[in-house]
């Protein structure tokens, strides 16, 4: 019999299905090892494909890193290439910084600027200096009630009266506040504040000021400065019972703070026909403000220096007396007026004539601070509409103190952006150098070389970057063409120790700072797309990488300028007949009129605005549509619009067009060309949409987008632009990174497809190899079984033979 105990542990095999078998027990052949050897030989193509997949995966990872670094470089240029955005927000060279300082001419110390004003600027702010003198800041109205001895008892009890005796209602800014007899001061506060919630809130908040345990005052405060709280429609004498008003809200019993507007002077602006004083009390004697005894006088003259009259006064006169004396001068009026919470003496030239005050023998002009400086008023202390791109927040007022607000380019922001570009470029360059690292003797890759060694896409990207930086800006001063001229130069490759730093950028901080201080405009052109037009009505909206520089510039011609939308006057009804002078437009004569050359017939006795709109639409005039809309006054209007051509409504044979009283809502440029006919006729070089002109690919300025803000046709408009390094590099990166057509994306797609195909092939080959393995194992098992049977027969023969020999 066979010796099972002689089998080694290496002969025991557990297959993938958990079956246990011994290899070579019958034959002595380790068929598992034999099969493994055969399969290893057959797996060589799979191993080769898996190695290719691993290499492809490494390349894909490197390309992803490359794409990230290129995106970082593009992002670093986002505000450096001249991107057009609202308020110049896309251009770091338009970033502004501001500084405020104070001064006085009377020798008195001036308050710190930060105590008087806060300044915030956007890129839209103009550089330069503005001057402000704050006369008064805006403040909110604040109204108090009588004193209550409890916040939780009902109002009648808390006021020291009969329990439940105070009830009724009143309106705050049009919203009714109802107070029940059981309500406490806390309940009234909460009800007023609840009415101030939401989009239609009252704009008034309520609070309780507790002087001590037995003294509590309800306080109403306007949320907006410079505006009055309106209290009316009182019932139950509630306002009187609360101690707020004894006449239903017309006058106040306890106004804690009157509303005031902000009042100030700016940039020495003058109001030539009006002089005004400082804030004053009209019944006070002039001596109150510093005027001596007298008698004194001053003169009032007109623009030609002709004397209009002499004003006599003394220190005992009141301000009102002085106003009456001035009114005796022909051609001049004087009044004591209260405006924005401030009472002033105003002296005005009749008919708007210029007047001057001079020759004062006393001190009234000086002591009353009479001036013809333009007094500017706002309801709020936050002022956004005084200087473009600037928000002023008024904190305090100091008459006689001038605040200088200086706005200049934010050089720190520009330097940070430029440095950020250099850093992003160097990170990309170091990565590319890593991929191209080669043995200096053999020129072959080293163990430190990246997976993109000799990759053609990487090579193209590297060449593009070198070309753009090497060529520099187009159309700019020769002294500011390349980055090296502002202190940003390539490193000296001959002296660097680290090969990964080859061709990276190095910034000379001293030189860059000096250029930023003295040549900021040239640096801006070095980086950005800088546009100019001979006609200020043509402004830049955008450009692309296809917009090419031309030293001769480009000529823009605009034609067929006209209305794009016409609206009629308002009518009471859109269905009344057109001759209905009560409900419609009151036309009297039927006929027809043309819209862009197409006749529209009408009958004033049967047609309405609705049917007229239907008739216009039924005429199918290219780009023209009509509809009836709601007018701002609550009536109905006919609106006719054109999207393709200027809208021309003419040739009326009746009187309907006149009765409609059409007015133009907006305009469009009908056609435009670049370098073509002066009438702006369409030659394919430009398209129009409303007021926007876009240059087509039939011209070198392809992609240039312009806005025409003027009226009427215009011709021979010269537009010029320079293209900086930042603009060129940004669009080159944009093109290479384009997800549809970019070279980098194409490389990623190709490698991804190759990897997927290889993975599919590997999967298919492994399935076949597994099948082949099983078949080989089955054959060896069959062979083992056959040999085992043969060995068994042989053993039987041996036993028989042995037994036979023994018998003999």
């Amino acid at each position: 019999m066979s010796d099972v105990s002689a089998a080694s542990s290496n002969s025991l095999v557990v297959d993938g299905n958990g079956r246990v078998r011994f290899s070579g027990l019958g034959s002595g052949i380790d068929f598992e090892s034999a099969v493994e050897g055969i399969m290893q030989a057959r797996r060589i193509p799979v191993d080769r494909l898996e190695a290719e997949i691993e290499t492809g995966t490494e390349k894909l990872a490197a390309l992803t890193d490359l794409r990230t670094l290129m995106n970082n470089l593009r992002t670093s240029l986002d505000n450096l290439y001249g991107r057009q955005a609202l308020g110049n927000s896309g251009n770091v060279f338009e970033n502004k910084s501001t500084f405020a300082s104070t001064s006085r001419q009377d020798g008195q110390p001036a308050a710190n600027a930060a105590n008087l004003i806060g300044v915030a600027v956007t890129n839209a702010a103009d550089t330069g200096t503005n001057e402000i003198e704050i006369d008064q800041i805006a403040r909110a109205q604040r109204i108090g009630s009588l004193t209550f001895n409890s916040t939780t008892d009902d109002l009648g009890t808390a006021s020291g009266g009969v329990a439940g005796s105070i009830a009724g209602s009143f309106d705050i800014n049009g919203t009714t506040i109802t107070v029940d007899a059981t309500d406490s001061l806390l309940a009234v506060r909460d009800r007023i504040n609840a009415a101030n919630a939401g989009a239609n809130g009252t704009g008034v908040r309520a609070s309780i000021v507790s002087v001590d345990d037995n003294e509590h005052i309800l306080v109403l405060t306007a949320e907006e400065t410079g505006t009055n709280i309106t209290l009316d429609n009182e019932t139950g004498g509630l306002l009187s019972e609360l101690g707020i008003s004894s006449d239903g809200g017309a006058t106040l019993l306890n106004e804690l703070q009157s509303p005031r507007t902000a009042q100030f002077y700016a940039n020495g602006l003058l109001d030539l026909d009006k002089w005004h004083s400082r804030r004053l009390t009209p019944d006070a004697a002039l001596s109150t403000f510093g005027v001596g005894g007298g008698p004194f006088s001053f003169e009032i003259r007109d623009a030609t220096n002709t004397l209009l009259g002499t004003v006599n006064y003394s220190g005992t006169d009141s301000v009102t007396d002085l106003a009456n004396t001035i009114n005796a001068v022909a051609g001049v009026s004087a009044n004591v007026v209260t405006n924005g919470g401030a009472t002033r003496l105003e002296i005005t030239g009749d008919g708007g004539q210029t007047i001057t005050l001079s020759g004062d023998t006393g001190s009234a002009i000086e002591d009353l601070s009479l001036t013809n400086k333009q007094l500017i008023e706002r309801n709020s202390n936050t002022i956004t509409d005084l200087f473009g791109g600037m928000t002023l927040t008024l904190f305090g007022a100091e008459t006689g103190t001038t605040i200088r607000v200086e706005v200049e380019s934010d050089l720190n922001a520009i330097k940070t952006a430029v440095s950020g570009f250099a850093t992003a470029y160097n990170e990309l360059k170091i990565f590319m150098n890593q991929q191209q690292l080669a043995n200096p003797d053999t020129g072959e890759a080293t163990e430190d070389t990246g997976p993109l060694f000799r990759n053609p896409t990487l090579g193209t990207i590297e060449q593009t970057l070198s070309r753009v930086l090497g060529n520099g800006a187009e159309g700019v001063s020769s002294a500011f063409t390349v980055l090296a001229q502002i202190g940003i130069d390539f490193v000296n490759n001959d002296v660097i120790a680290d090969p990964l730093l080859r061709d990276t950028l190095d910034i000379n901080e001293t030189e860059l700072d000096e250029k930023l201080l003295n040549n900021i405009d040239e640096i801006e052109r070095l980086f950005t797309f800088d546009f100019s037009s001979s006609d200020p009505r043509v402004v830049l909206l955008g450009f692309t990488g296809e917009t090419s520089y031309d030293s001769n510039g480009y000529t823009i011609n605009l034609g067929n300028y006209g209305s794009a939308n016409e609206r009629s006057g308002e009518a009471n009804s859109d269905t009344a007949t057109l001759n209905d002078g009560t409900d419609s437009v009151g036309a009297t004569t039927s006929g027809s009129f043309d819209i862009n050359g197409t006749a529209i017939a009408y009958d004033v006795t049967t047609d309405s605005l609705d049917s007229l709109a239907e008739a216009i639409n039924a005429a199918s005039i290219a780009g023209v549509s009509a509809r009836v809309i709601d007018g701002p006054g609550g009536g109905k209007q006919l609106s006719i619009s054109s999207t393709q051509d200027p809208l021309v409504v003419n040739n009326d044979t009746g009187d309907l067009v006149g009765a409609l009283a059409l007015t133009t809502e907006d305009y469009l440029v009908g056609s435009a060309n670049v370098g073509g006919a002066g009438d702006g006729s369409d030659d394919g070089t430009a398209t129009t949409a409303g007021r926007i002109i876009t240059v087509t690919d039939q011209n070198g300025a392809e992609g240039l987008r312009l806005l025409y803000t003027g009226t009427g046709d215009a011709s021979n408009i010269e537009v010029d632009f320079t293209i900086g390094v930042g603009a060129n590099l940004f669009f080159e990166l944009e093109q290479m990174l384009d997800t549809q057509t970019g070279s980098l994306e194409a490389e990623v797609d190709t490698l991804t497809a190759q990897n997927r195909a290889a993975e599919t092939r590997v999967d298919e080959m492994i399935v076949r190899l597994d099948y082949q393995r099983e078949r080989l194992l089955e054959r060896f098992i069959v062979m083992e079984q056959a040999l085992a049977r043969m060995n068994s027969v042989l053993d039987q023969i041996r036993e028989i033979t042995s037994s036979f020999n023994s018998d003999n």
Side-chain angles (χ1 to χ4, degrees):
M1 294 181 66
S2 61
D3 188 0
V4 176
S5 63
S8 69
S9 62
N10 292 332
S11 299
L12 187 145
V13 177
V14 181
D15 66 17
N17 296 319
R19 295 173 298 186
V20 180
R21 61 174 178 264
F22 289 91
S23 173
L25 288 182
S27 64
I29 301 172
D30 184 358
F31 66 80
E32 288 287 346
S33 297
V35 169
E36 194 64 34
I38 293 170
M39 297 313 298
Q40 285 180 358
R42 292 183 179 181
R43 186 183 167 82
I44 290 175
V46 175
D47 294 339
R48 187 179 300 115
L49 281 175
E50 288 181 338
E52 290 177 3
I53 291 172
E54 183 178 357
T55 300
T57 301
E58 291 175 353
K59 287 182 179 179
L60 280 172
L63 287 172
T64 299
D65 292 340
L66 176 62
R67 179 166 51 192
T68 298
L69 291 169
M70 291 175 67
N71 265 315
N72 291 345
L73 180 57
R74 180 177 61 175
T75 299
S76 75
L77 290 166
D78 194 45
N79 289 326
L80 276 173
Y81 79 93
R83 176 168 58 92
Q84 299 300 295
L86 184 65
N88 294 327
S89 60
N91 188 346
V92 72
F93 291 98
E94 297 297 329
N95 275 22
K96 304 299 191 304
S97 61
T98 183
F99 174 76
S101 60
T102 55
S103 63
R104 295 182 66 93
Q105 294 184 347
D106 59 7
Q108 298 297 316
N112 189 290
N115 295 330
L116 300 177
I117 197 169
V119 184
V121 292
T122 68
N123 287 17
D126 293 325
T127 56
T129 301
N130 294 291
E131 293 185 343
I132 310 243
E133 180 184 342
I134 305 171
D135 193 65
Q136 73 175 25
I137 63 172
R139 66 183 187 184
Q141 186 178 29
R142 188 174 293 127
I143 302 170
S145 71
L146 57 78
T147 301
F148 294 86
N149 59 36
S150 171
T151 60
T152 56
D153 291 340
D154 70 89
L155 294 175
T157 301
S159 65
V162 178
S165 60
I166 297 179
S169 66
F170 63 93
D171 287 359
I172 296 181
N173 291 346
T175 298
T176 300
I177 307 297
T178 301
V179 176
D180 298 327
T182 56
D183 283 340
S184 66
L185 198 62
L186 287 172
V188 174
R189 179 200 65 184
D190 294 343
R191 195 160 298 147
I192 293 173
N193 287 334
N196 189 34
N200 297 315
T202 61
V204 176
R205 65 180 184 273
S207 61
I208 296 174
V209 177
S210 296
V211 180
D212 55 37
D213 291 343
N214 297 310
E215 293 183 89
H216 310 281
I217 300 171
L218 178 70
V219 176
L220 306 181
T221 304
E223 290 189 332
E224 293 186 8
T225 55
T227 59
N228 286 288
I229 299 173
T230 300
L231 302 173
D232 53 18
N233 295 330
E234 176 192 35
T235 66
L238 184 57
L239 290 173
S240 178
E241 294 289 350
L242 292 174
I244 292 175
S245 173
S246 59
D247 55 6
T251 58
L252 301 174
L253 298 174
N254 188 18
E255 186 177 36
L256 304 176
Q257 180 172 281
S258 62
R260 279 190 179 178
T261 61
Q263 295 182 348
F264 51 90
Y265 309 103
N267 287 351
L269 296 177
L270 299 178
D271 195 350
L272 298 180
D273 67 336
K274 182 185 292 183
W275 287 62
H276 63 267
S277 72
R278 61 173 171 157
R279 297 186 303 276
L280 44 73
T281 304
D283 295 330
L286 297 183
S287 59
T288 305
F289 307 104
V291 177
F296 304 114
S297 66
F298 61 83
E299 297 175 342
I300 302 180
R301 294 179 177 271
D302 65 12
T304 64
N305 203 33
T306 300
L307 180 66
L308 298 177
T310 299
V311 178
N312 297 302
Y313 67 92
S314 66
T316 58
D317 291 338
S318 69
V319 175
T320 302
D321 292 337
L322 180 62
N324 292 334
T325 303
I326 295 172
N327 278 323
V329 177
V332 180
S333 299
N335 294 284
V336 177
V337 298
T338 300
N339 185 33
T343 300
R344 303 176 189 272
L345 170 65
E346 286 188 357
I347 308 169
T348 307
D350 293 347
Q353 73 166 327
T354 298
I355 58 172
T356 60
L357 309 183
S358 61
D360 193 357
T361 61
S363 60
I365 293 178
E366 180 181 355
D367 291 338
L368 296 180
S369 298
L370 285 167
T371 178
N372 64 345
K373 291 189 294 186
Q374 179 73 58
L375 186 66
I376 303 171
E377 187 176 22
R378 296 291 187 273
N379 282 339
S380 173
N381 287 318
T382 300
I383 301 162
T384 60
D385 59 352
L386 185 65
F387 306 120
M390 184 184 301
T391 297
L392 303 176
T393 303
L394 308 186
F395 300 139
E398 188 171 84
T399 302
T401 293
T402 298
I403 307 167
R404 289 173 55 88
V405 178
E406 299 178 51
V407 179
E408 57 188 22
S409 296
D410 190 345
L411 300 184
N412 285 330
I414 297 170
K415 183 177 180 181
T416 298
V418 171
S419 299
F421 153 72
T423 298
Y425 179 86
N426 286 345
E427 289 173 349
L428 173 60
K429 189 61 182 176
I430 289 170
F431 175 83
M432 291 192 295
N433 287 342
Q434 176 77 51
Q435 306 306 306
Q436 303 285 30
L437 198 61
N439 186 303
D441 297 324
T442 65
E444 297 300 321
T446 71
E447 61 181 9
D448 296 323
T449 302
L452 299 181
F453 185 68
R454 292 178 180 169
N455 180 279
T457 299
L458 180 66
T460 300
I461 293 171
E462 194 164 24
Q463 291 171 6
T464 300
L465 296 179
S466 298
R467 171 176 54 81
V468 172
L469 294 188
N471 289 346
E474 300 175 90
V476 300
S477 165
S478 60
F480 293 91
T481 303
V482 293
L483 296 177
Q485 293 169 314
I486 64 169
I488 306 173
D489 204 354
F490 291 104
V491 298
N492 186 345
N493 291 336
D494 294 332
V495 299
I496 59 172
D498 187 350
L500 297 182
L501 296 178
R502 292 180 62 84
D503 297 324
T504 56
L505 295 174
D506 180 57
I507 297 179
N508 183 324
E509 300 276 349
T510 301
E511 185 175 358
L512 178 59
D513 289 344
E514 187 271 329
K515 291 296 194 297
L516 286 171
L517 284 171
N518 300 307
N519 305 98
I520 186 62
D521 292 338
E522 286 81 359
I523 293 180
E524 180 175 0
R525 282 189 283 272
L526 171 60
F527 275 95
T528 68
F529 185 101
D530 188 60
F531 175 87
S532 63
S533 169
S534 64
D535 188 332
R537 299 174 299 175
V538 173
V539 297
L540 177 67
L541 286 182
F543 52 93
T544 70
E546 304 301 322
T547 309
S548 303
Y549 168 74
D550 189 320
S551 59
N552 295 318
Y554 297 91
T555 302
I556 307 294
N557 300 296
L558 310 176
N560 295 322
Y561 180 89
S563 64
N565 185 283
E566 299 279 354
R567 288 190 183 183
S568 72
E570 290 195 42
N572 292 329
S573 170
D574 55 339
T575 59
T577 56
L578 297 173
N579 65 352
D580 186 337
T582 301
D583 291 322
S584 192
V585 297
T588 60
T589 307
S590 300
S592 68
F593 60 88
D594 291 350
I595 297 180
N596 289 0
T598 298
I600 306 296
Y602 61 88
D603 186 333
V604 298
T605 65
T606 58
D607 284 328
S608 64
L609 290 179
D610 271 342
S611 63
L612 185 60
E614 292 173 0
I616 294 171
N617 291 329
S620 300
I621 307 169
V624 174
S625 63
R627 60 194 178 106
V628 176
I629 61 175
D630 293 329
K636 299 295 183 179
Q637 290 180 295
L638 175 69
S639 174
I640 311 172
S641 301
S642 175
T643 60
Q644 297 181 7
D645 299 299
L647 184 64
V648 179
V649 181
N650 58 7
N651 299 330
D652 188 8
T653 62
D655 66 349
L656 178 59
V657 172
L660 288 172
L662 295 173
T663 58
T664 300
E665 292 298 308
D666 55 30
Y667 295 87
L668 57 78
V669 177
S671 63
N673 65 55
V674 180
D679 62 1
S681 56
D682 185 3
D683 62 3
T685 57
T687 61
T688 61
R691 293 171 175 263
I692 299 175
I693 302 98
T694 303
V695 181
T696 70
D697 59 5
Q698 296 187 35
N699 194 277
E702 176 187 354
L704 192 68
R705 295 180 67 244
L706 306 172
L707 174 67
Y708 180 55
T709 62
T711 58
D713 299 348
S715 61
N716 297 318
I717 302 170
E718 296 297 324
V719 297
D720 292 279
F721 50 83
T722 61
I723 305 179
V725 174
N728 274 326
L729 187 54
F730 179 88
F731 285 110
E732 289 286 0
L733 289 165
E734 188 125 284
Q735 181 178 352
M736 291 186 288
L737 289 167
D738 188 279
T739 56
Q740 301 297 322
T741 62
S743 57
L744 183 58
E745 198 66 28
E747 176 81 1
V748 170
D749 290 344
T750 299
L751 276 175
T752 300
Q754 289 176 353
N755 264 17
R756 287 174 179 169
E759 288 168 352
T760 301
R761 180 68 177 152
V762 165
D763 291 341
E764 293 171 349
M765 293 174 70
I766 288 176
V767 169
R768 287 198 297 271
L769 288 175
D770 289 342
Y771 176 79
Q772 292 172 7
R773 179 192 296 276
E774 289 299 320
R775 299 290 77 78
L776 282 172
L777 287 173
E778 288 175 0
R779 291 176 184 176
F780 273 107
I781 291 171
V782 169
M783 181 192 72
E784 285 285 342
Q785 291 172 345
L787 286 174
R789 287 194 297 272
M790 291 174 64
N791 283 334
S792 178
V793 172
L794 181 59
D795 287 342
Q796 292 176 2
I797 294 173
R798 285 174 178 168
E799 288 179 359
I800 293 172
T801 302
S802 176
S803 175
F804 179 78
N805 289 336
S806 297
D807 291 342
N808 290 336

